[in-house]
Amino acid sequence: MTTHAAPAQPSFLVDTGTRKGLMAWLTTTDHKRIGLLYLYSMVSFFLVGMGIGFVMRLVQLTTFQKLITAQTYNALFTLHGVIMIFLFVVPGLPAVFGNFFLPILIGAKDVSFPRLNLASWYFYMVGAVLAVLSLFTGGGAPDTGWTFYAPFSLKTGTNVSLAVFAAFVLGFSSMLTGINFITTIHRLRAPGMKWFRMPLMCWALYSTAWIQLLATPIVAITLLLVILERFFGIGIFDPSKGGDPLLYQHLFWIYSHPAVYIMILPAMGAITEIIPTFAKRTIFGYKAIAFSSMAIAGVGSLVWAHHMFTSGMSSVATMVFSLLTMVVAVPSAIKVFNWVSTLYKGSIDFQPPLFFALTFIFLFAIGGLTGVMQGALAINVHIHDTYFIVGHFHYVMFGGTGFAFFAALTYWFPKMVGRMYSKKAIYASWFPMFIGFNLLYFGMLILGMMGMPRRYYVHLPQFHTMHVVATVGSWLLVLGLLMFFGALLYALFKGPKAEDNPWGGVTLEWTLTSPPIQENFETIPTITHGPYQFEQESQ
Amino acid sequence: MSEHVHRDDFGARLGMWLFLVTEIVLFGGLFIGYSYMRYKYPIEFHHGGAELNATLGVINTVVLLTSSLTVVLAIVAIQRAEKKRAMAFLGTTLALGLTFLVIKSFEWAAKFHHGLYPNAPHLATLPPGEQVFFGLYFTMTGLHGLHVIVGLTILTVMLWWVATDRVRQDRYIHLENSGLYWHLVDVIWIFLLPLFYLAA
Amino acid sequence: MDWMNQAALSAQKSDAVFFYVFGLSVAFLIFITALMIYFVVRYSKKRHPVAEQIEGHLGLELIWTSIPLVLFLSIFYYGWTNYEYMRQAPRDAMVVNVTARQWAWSFEYPNGKKSKVLFAPIHKPMKMDVHSADVVHGFFIPSFRLKIDAVPARTNTTWFQATKLGSYDIECTVICGVDHSLMLSKVIVVPEDEFKAWYFGGEDAPEPGKSFRAVEAHPDLKDLPPGLAVLTAKGCLACHSVDGKPKVGPTLKALFGKQEEILVAGTMRSVTVDESYLRRAITNPMDQVVRGYPPAMPLTPMTEQELNEVIRYIKTLN
Ligand code: HEA
Ligand code: HEA
Ligand code: CUA
Ligand SMILES: [Cu+2]
């Protein structure tokens, strides 16, 4: 463990080029700076989405319906969905931690196409701004839900076209990032960094990149068709012109199911980095985890129609897609079991990142298991399009991706900004977050079983009690989150200087200074062993 | 910082191929839609196809294929450091590309003349299947046309870069990738031809 | 058993699968969580200072690949077979045409009888042919665990066989515009004879469901309070209870002076129930519909004097 007393070269946070300050950031091609650009912009949009979610909960307390009309509510959950999916969980970990750490983890100076990388960020920002603009311009905020189902999305007077175009642009950003990562992993691995010596985060990012590449264009063209329908009425989805709404649903989900694995795979990757570091031992079943990532990417692209079981597909189709849905759950199971086994006979140093990682496993398991329930046909016909679904995907996306994001943030924060946060504050924020989360989203699961449909502005009396519980949960949750981000924000400016290797990790990023120097490595390392070798340490 | 990252032509080529994959999948989405609809309306698609001018379609195919060839020749010329010939070939490619667009525009004009365009009162009177057919026809040929235009713009830049020696014998990866893109545009057309013009 | 008022065969089929999966899930969740906690405590730095470097174990990998796979497949199979049952309507089922439009449901029976609520005889298979007049809607009966989308230019079908008398919610589950959440109706499950009486009984046949009339049912109208007598005679009690039980219509108990949320032309208003409100509700029921209820109240002609009796009686129910 080489711990530089003083970094030989200035850190990447110091402007060395001709440009200074903001301009230096907006024109940077340094993967680490781009990673931070993503982090800051993402958190901001994320807070917007969170605010909206919070308001939606208030609406479910009927007392607030004076303030918000049905039309507004429909706009709220649509924007909430669009922001959270396209601006937060889909770019999520790859854009922030992938950009920052992928080159470092494979011992490279940068990604293959640094300029393209910056371009992706600009695409992201443009898309984001358009999405927000769609709120205030045209016929008012879209009210179709993030799924934009035709023919309603063709008929509604609201500003669907702009919102859809925003998603289209964001898709581009995501695709370019994918291309960049695949090329980087193929071309820029340090000497001796064989495929099976890569940290598993890289495997996760690699599979993710392939999904981004193969799935995103489909949604791009689908959304393009929606726009064409709205402007020229080409009639491919419009039944009154011979089109077929089910075709839209198929095309949409061919992307949007794989997209959910775009969301979760990098999260799983981050967890796979964190657990060995704190268990002080090598990962259990390296290859099993690496291959299960690829398996999820593969099988995951064959299950899309499990979102359409009640749409009136042929009974053969429902059967096949239900079967495949069950199969795709297996690799996730494999990962879960390997993570747990990695704790076995470790020497566990309990720290905030591990705490959040284990919370991730618990919440993701609930999310996944509810997913399996939805995959079972007889159950799906009852819970489809109810709050049960809403509960499921918040468990996987927020409990999964979200908490993995927290874990990763607490894990790499010192490395990224060179300062340490207060562990106490982070622990403290966990409790309201965890309790609130389960009140909120388990409440939703129960509501769904009771038959509460999703996207409802007003609910029937029998659902009210559970809705109140959920809403109270959302307050606790938001409280916890504010504490969490508050602690990190404070550390960002006032935190003590972080050591180079605060957790005693052994992957490459921990051999660098915190924060790393501009091109990561003074000399590109030569790799002689697997990623999680703790022996040298203990000797 | 990219200057510091050593030049990696293979990487650039790989990146381009990956991008082409996304382009193919993009049209793939449309092809899925096409097959779905054709399966639903076989007869109507037959009639729709009959409305299209196959000869023009075939001519355009020949035009594009030759233009693909000339791009390859341009690259060969660059490898041989024959700047003038390279520019000549690129010029021909541009000319052929434009020819393609002109012919296509005549076709479209004819369709509009016969009221065979989306939302046209006449089209609305036709059976649903044919409305879908023409919806797809305009979408797919239109999107392809857009790609042709993009391709032409890129090739124009290449022409300029060759002229100003930014693309030379020892550094022609950009031209090579642009060529790849142009081939893609070509290949996609090869698929569109039978799907629409030869559907009858 | 009655779990979340399970009221049809389909509900039993669906719940059976649910409990199977639920059991498995709880078991696995507890197992995994317990294991995590145990390891974290047992192998903490203090108790276990030096970690053992275990690369993995093929046997274990195979076990936790195959066991979940088998379990998942069993879940699939159970779910699929029960679903096939829920999907294939028996040949002798009565076919009802369900039409969804923004934002209401309507039901048409083979003999052309139309209704805003779905009347169904108990223990008899009913097949639903579901259409949509505009955008995609979702036909959902929670108590039957049944759902099928209403897709324009397409006929989707489902079927049910009710096992419990009563009135159950119908909800729209696919976002279809501003009043999506108000696109509600009810299924009224009635004894077969009552259903037949209504079904074959021509235009002015009283709507079925009288059998829910709670204890207040009384053969001899003369010993009833005059208002109740009218209600009974006019068949109001088919849809309204006077003891607080919800039926097709809201209960009349404690109605007077209550804050009622009503829909006037699709927008929600909140009003206090008074004389004039009751009059309007009875004399032209359609122009202001109580939220959560279908606009299903028939206009029942009454003399001014009857009307006053009814209102006076409703007041007494506070
Ligand atoms: C991060 C995103 C994410 C992830 C990872 C998943 C994971 C899964 N999802 Fe989810 N899903 C969504 C996001 C996600 N989903 C979203 C956003 C929607 C709604 C879209 C919309 O309509 O708006 C949705 C909707 C959705 C539906 C459609 C519901 C409906 O509308 O009718 C279905 C149906 O099959 C489904 C299934 C699954 C399954 C089987 C998994 C599996 O991958 C889960 C696998 C994991 C586990 C199984 C848990 C861990 C394993 C164990 C603990 C082993 C032991 C367990 C056993 C042996 C049982 N999901
Ligand atoms: C990751 C995705 C994500 C997240 C985090 C959330 C967060 C929240 N969601 Fe979200 N929700 C969706 C994705 C998400 N949602 C989607 C896709 C839909 C479907 C929309 C549709 O129907 O079309 C939906 C729908 C939906 C509904 C159903 C609306 C309806 O059908 O009527 C409700 C109801 O209350 C709700 C509530 C909330 C609340 C209260 C929060 C939050 O406010 C809870 C408070 C906390 C947070 C939001 C912080 C979470 C933190 C992280 C995830 C990591 C932090 C990372 C950074 C800061 C960069 N959501
Ligand atoms: Cu009809 Cu929602
Ligand atoms: Cu899915």
Side-chain angles (χ1 to χ4, degrees):
Chain A
M1 291 295 105
T2 49
T3 325
H4 312 236
Q9 299 175 29
S11 97
F12 77 100
L13 293 170
V14 182
D15 302 336
T16 50
T18 51
R19 298 203 189 75
K20 296 264 171 282
L22 187 62
M23 275 316 289
W25 280 84
L26 293 181
T27 59
T28 182
T29 53
D30 179 334
H31 65 99
K32 299 185 284 311
R33 285 190 168 201
I34 294 177
L36 289 183
L37 283 176
Y38 270 113
L39 177 63
Y40 298 140
S41 35
M42 206 173 277
V43 173
S44 337
F45 292 119
F46 173 74
L47 293 174
V48 177
M50 157 174 170
I52 297 176
F54 189 71
V55 175
M56 283 195 292
R57 286 319 312 161
L58 295 184
V59 172
Q60 296 299 340
L61 299 178
T62 29
T63 44
F64 283 82
Q65 279 163 347
K66 310 279 169 301
L67 296 173
I68 290 170
T69 67
Q71 190 61 39
T72 320
Y73 183 76
N74 294 357
L76 284 181
F77 65 68
T78 305
L79 259 291
H80 172 78
V82 168
I83 289 179
M84 287 303 189
I85 296 268
F86 294 109
L87 292 184
F88 176 59
V89 273
V90 167
L93 283 91
V96 177
F97 302 110
N99 263 317
F100 199 106
F101 288 104
L102 175 62
I104 297 181
L105 287 172
I106 63 174
K109 288 175 181 293
D110 205 319
V111 292
S112 278
F113 310 116
R115 287 196 207 80
L116 191 65
N117 202 12
L118 181 64
S120 327
W121 180 73
Y122 277 102
F123 271 118
Y124 172 82
M125 289 308 283
V126 171
V129 170
L130 288 178
V132 176
L133 273 183
S134 72
L135 263 173
F136 311 105
T137 55
D143 58 351
T144 61
W146 81 282
T147 48
F148 298 109
Y149 268 19
F152 180 54
S153 60
L154 310 179
K155 295 194 159 139
T156 175
T158 57
N159 204 355
V160 167
S161 310
L162 188 58
V164 159
F165 183 67
F168 178 83
V169 176
L170 289 163
F172 246 93
S173 161
S174 165
M175 244 155 50
L176 296 179
T177 309
I179 293 178
N180 221 333
F181 284 3
I182 293 181
T183 321
T184 308
I185 292 176
H186 273 278
R187 301 295 300 162
L188 299 186
R189 276 171 291 128
M193 176 64 79
K194 302 209 180 70
W195 282 90
F196 288 113
R197 286 182 184 171
M198 287 197 304
L200 284 156
M201 177 78 175
C202 307
W203 275 99
L205 288 169
Y206 186 68
S207 355
T208 310
W210 273 111
I211 308 179
Q212 288 174 306
L213 219 64
L214 294 175
T216 317
I218 301 274
V219 80
I221 192 64
T222 312
L223 299 179
L224 204 62
L225 284 172
V226 169
I227 297 176
L228 290 176
E229 285 269 11
R230 285 180 67 88
F231 284 117
F232 307 114
I234 52 176
I236 292 163
F237 301 140
D238 183 348
S240 63
K241 290 181 175 157
D244 188 341
L246 257 60
L247 176 60
Y248 173 84
Q249 297 184 16
H250 277 294
L251 288 174
F252 180 83
W253 289 117
I254 286 177
Y255 163 74
S256 295
H257 181 82
V260 308
Y261 295 115
I262 296 180
M263 304 168 195
I264 202 67
L265 278 172
M268 294 168 153
I271 299 302
T272 320
E273 291 304 307
I274 291 168
I275 292 178
T277 300
F278 294 94
K280 293 281 169 288
R281 53 155 286 184
T282 176
I283 189 81
F284 191 99
Y286 178 101
K287 286 196 176 169
I289 295 182
F291 287 135
S292 60
S293 291
M294 297 308 277
I296 289 179
V299 187
S301 51
L302 302 175
V303 304
W304 71 86
H306 67 202
H307 297 266
M308 302 167 57
F309 284 148
T310 66
S311 67
M313 289 187 303
S314 77
S315 80
V316 182
T318 48
M319 187 272 269
V320 171
F321 281 104
S322 172
L323 179 64
L324 289 167
T325 300
M326 292 303 156
V327 176
V328 80
V330 173
S332 307
I334 295 176
K335 280 185 178 341
V336 169
F337 291 119
N338 279 294
W339 289 326
V340 175
S341 317
T342 303
L343 297 169
Y344 176 68
K345 294 207 173 176
S347 168
I348 295 163
D349 174 17
F350 202 78
Q351 298 282 0
L354 184 64
F355 195 21
F356 276 96
L358 299 182
T359 315
F360 161 91
I361 296 181
F362 176 78
L363 295 176
F364 173 71
I366 295 182
L369 294 165
T370 52
V372 172
M373 292 181 191
Q374 295 165 178
L377 288 164
I379 309 178
N380 184 277
V381 286
H382 176 46
I383 56 184
H384 170 68
D385 268 337
T386 65
Y387 261 70
F388 193 92
I389 308 305
V390 181
H392 158 72
F393 63 68
H394 283 93
Y395 265 99
V396 277
M397 289 199 294
F398 180 9
T401 312
F403 274 71
F405 196 101
F406 296 153
L409 208 54
T410 47
Y411 181 56
W412 279 314
F413 185 86
K415 180 59 64 184
M416 293 170 89
V417 303
R419 290 182 186 274
M420 197 56 192
Y421 50 81
S422 145
K423 295 176 185 174
K424 278 204 190 56
I426 295 295
Y427 280 128
S429 73
W430 182 89
F431 291 90
M433 227 194 276
F434 184 77
I435 297 164
F437 183 96
N438 287 292
L439 281 180
L440 172 56
Y441 297 123
F442 208 86
M444 288 188 180
L445 291 177
I446 295 170
L447 278 170
M449 280 318 291
M450 290 165 67
M452 167 76 200
R454 68 192 281 193
R455 298 167 174 174
Y456 260 32
Y457 168 61
V458 286
H459 53 257
L460 293 172
Q462 65 264 36
F463 303 121
H464 195 63
T465 341
M466 258 348 270
H467 270 298
V468 175
V469 174
T471 305
V472 173
S474 75
W475 296 339
L476 281 174
L477 179 57
V478 171
L479 170 70
L481 282 153
L482 294 181
M483 290 166 67
F484 181 86
F485 288 119
L488 292 185
L489 212 59
Y490 178 84
L492 185 57
F493 298 108
K494 297 245 181 328
K497 175 109 186 52
E499 320 147 39
D500 290 346
N501 189 359
W503 316 122
V506 293
T507 36
L508 285 175
E509 75 269 36
W510 304 114
T511 65
L512 305 178
T513 55
S514 307
I517 59 170
Q518 252 165 27
E519 295 212 316
N520 309 339
F521 304 92
E522 280 122 343
T523 54
I524 297 291
T526 307
I527 288 35
T528 55
H529 56 68
Y532 310 109
Q533 291 266 348
F534 283 82
E535 281 88 348
Q536 294 95 328
E537 237 202 355
S538 42
Q539 283 153 14
Chain B
M1 305 300 129
S2 59
E3 305 78 73
H4 302 247
V5 178
H6 70 95
R7 189 178 131 203
D8 176 7
D9 284 356
F10 185 93
R13 215 171 286 123
L14 176 61
M16 188 60 192
W17 275 108
L18 292 173
F19 177 72
L20 294 189
V21 168
T22 65
E23 285 279 12
I24 289 167
V25 179
L26 185 84
F27 277 90
L30 284 172
F31 287 132
I32 295 173
Y34 177 94
S35 350
Y36 185 99
M37 284 303 177
R38 178 159 193 173
Y39 176 76
K40 205 170 161 196
Y41 305 108
I43 313 99
E44 290 84 345
F45 270 51
H46 186 82
H47 291 160
E51 293 281 346
L52 299 180
N53 185 333
T55 37
L56 281 185
V58 175
I59 294 175
N60 253 348
T61 317
V62 179
V63 171
L64 267 193
L65 281 171
T66 21
S67 73
S68 258
L69 175 67
T70 48
V71 172
V72 179
L73 292 174
I75 297 171
V76 176
I78 278 293
Q79 289 166 331
R80 300 221 189 100
E82 297 163 335
K83 185 170 164 183
K84 290 267 172 306
R85 292 185 78 224
M87 290 172 70
F89 279 126
L90 276 178
T92 349
T93 316
L94 291 175
L96 287 166
L98 285 172
T99 326
F100 176 90
L101 287 177
V102 172
I103 296 180
K104 178 122 281 327
S105 57
F106 276 122
E107 261 186 80
W108 275 38
K111 295 287 162 300
F112 275 79
H113 184 67
H114 297 103
L116 293 173
Y117 56 94
N119 278 352
H122 170 60
L123 188 63
T125 63
L126 297 178
E130 287 192 42
Q131 301 186 33
V132 173
F133 178 85
F134 282 104
L136 280 167
Y137 166 78
F138 277 100
T139 314
M140 293 172 86
T141 55
L143 191 63
H144 176 262
L146 209 62
H147 279 73
V148 175
I149 293 171
V150 173
L152 288 177
T153 342
I154 299 175
L155 288 174
T156 322
V157 175
M158 284 308 128
L159 185 59
W160 175 45
W161 282 11
V162 173
T164 56
D165 285 332
R166 278 191 63 181
V167 169
R168 343 172 267 275
Q169 183 171 25
D170 60 345
R171 195 170 183 286
Y172 54 86
I173 180 66
H174 296 97
L175 177 57
E176 211 177 344
N177 279 346
S178 321
L180 278 176
Y181 186 82
W182 191 251
H183 295 324
L184 171 91
V185 172
D186 191 357
V187 169
I188 290 171
W189 177 256
I190 304 279
F191 277 97
L192 292 182
L193 180 73
L195 289 188
F196 289 105
Y197 296 84
L198 311 184
Chain C
M1 59 161 264
D2 180 30
W3 188 70
M4 293 193 189
N5 51 16
Q6 199 186 49
L9 293 181
S10 46
Q12 297 163 10
K13 289 289 181 183
S14 173
D15 292 346
V17 182
F18 173 73
F19 285 118
Y20 173 60
V21 185
F22 186 72
L24 270 181
S25 306
V26 171
F28 269 96
L29 188 63
I30 293 175
F31 173 64
I32 286 164
T33 318
L35 216 55
M36 282 195 298
I37 296 172
Y38 172 72
F39 285 165
V40 168
V41 174
R42 171 65 187 78
Y43 298 111
S44 69
K45 222 170 42 219
K46 281 183 259 47
R47 291 200 186 64
H48 196 253
V50 179
E52 279 180 41
Q53 304 299 324
I54 305 167
E55 295 281 340
H57 186 293
L58 184 61
L60 277 172
E61 298 290 351
L62 291 179
I63 289 172
W64 61 52
T65 307
S66 45
I67 291 181
L69 181 61
V70 171
L71 290 174
F72 286 139
L73 289 182
S74 71
I75 293 172
F76 154 74
Y77 184 76
Y78 195 14
W80 174 50
T81 44
N82 280 14
Y83 167 77
E84 280 304 311
Y85 174 90
M86 293 160 73
R87 174 177 177 128
Q88 309 297 349
R91 233 170 267 83
D92 61 339
M94 169 185 253
V95 179
V96 179
N97 262 314
V98 181
T99 307
R101 58 169 45 78
Q102 289 167 318
W103 291 274
W105 298 99
S106 60
F107 307 90
E108 184 179 2
Y109 290 82
N111 70 351
K113 241 185 186 330
K114 287 200 179 62
S115 157
K116 290 268 165 214
V117 288
L118 175 58
F119 295 102
I122 189 167
H123 300 315
K124 283 266 166 288
M126 300 285 283
K127 182 167 181 244
M128 304 288 122
D129 280 356
V130 183
H131 319 269
S132 167
D134 36 46
V135 301
V136 181
H137 302 269
F139 178 75
F140 179 33
I141 309 174
S143 302
F144 296 177
R145 317 286 191 265
L146 270 190
K147 183 181 294 97
I148 190 77
D149 292 359
V151 184
R154 193 178 250 279
T155 304
N156 289 338
T157 65
T158 183
W159 77 285
F160 62 81
Q161 178 164 335
T163 54
K164 250 175 64 192
L165 295 175
S167 126
Y168 308 100
D169 292 314
I170 296 175
E171 301 171 302
C172 176
T173 48
V174 178
I175 177 75
C176 54
V178 60
D179 283 339
H180 167 56
S181 66
L182 301 170
M183 190 165 163
L184 307 162
S185 183
K186 290 243 191 277
V187 197
I188 317 294
V189 180
V190 299
E192 197 180 354
D193 50 359
E194 271 183 58
F195 179 79
K196 285 219 175 75
W198 168 76
Y199 183 65
F200 296 109
E203 277 313 304
D204 49 2
E207 305 218 310
K210 293 203 174 45
S211 65
F212 316 154
R213 245 190 297 162
V215 283
E216 82 271 19
H218 204 291
D220 194 349
L221 300 178
K222 274 185 270 18
D223 7 342
L224 292 174
L228 182 53
V230 179
L231 291 175
T232 319
K234 302 268 180 188
C236 313
L237 298 170
C239 305
H240 298 281
S241 73
V242 293
D243 60 354
K245 282 211 193 63
K247 286 190 183 177
V248 185
T251 178
L252 302 179
K253 184 162 194 295
L255 176 58
F256 194 80
K258 163 167 176 245
Q259 274 293 331
E260 195 71 277
E261 286 174 342
I262 58 168
L263 309 169
V264 182
T267 56
M268 236 170 40
R269 296 249 185 78
S270 189
V271 298
T272 19
V273 176
D274 55 12
E275 282 250 14
S276 60
Y277 171 80
L278 289 180
R279 275 181 185 286
R280 233 185 312 102
I282 299 168
T283 48
N284 41 8
M286 280 311 133
D287 71 347
Q288 28 129 287
V289 177
V290 180
R291 210 195 99 218
Y293 292 91
M297 167 145 165
L299 175 53
T300 322
M302 286 193 202
T303 67
E304 183 59 24
Q305 190 256 348
E306 282 173 325
L307 193 53
N308 295 329
E309 288 298 345
V310 168
I311 292 171
R312 190 176 304 111
Y313 176 72
I314 291 177
K315 288 184 183 165
T316 66
L317 291 172
N318 288 47

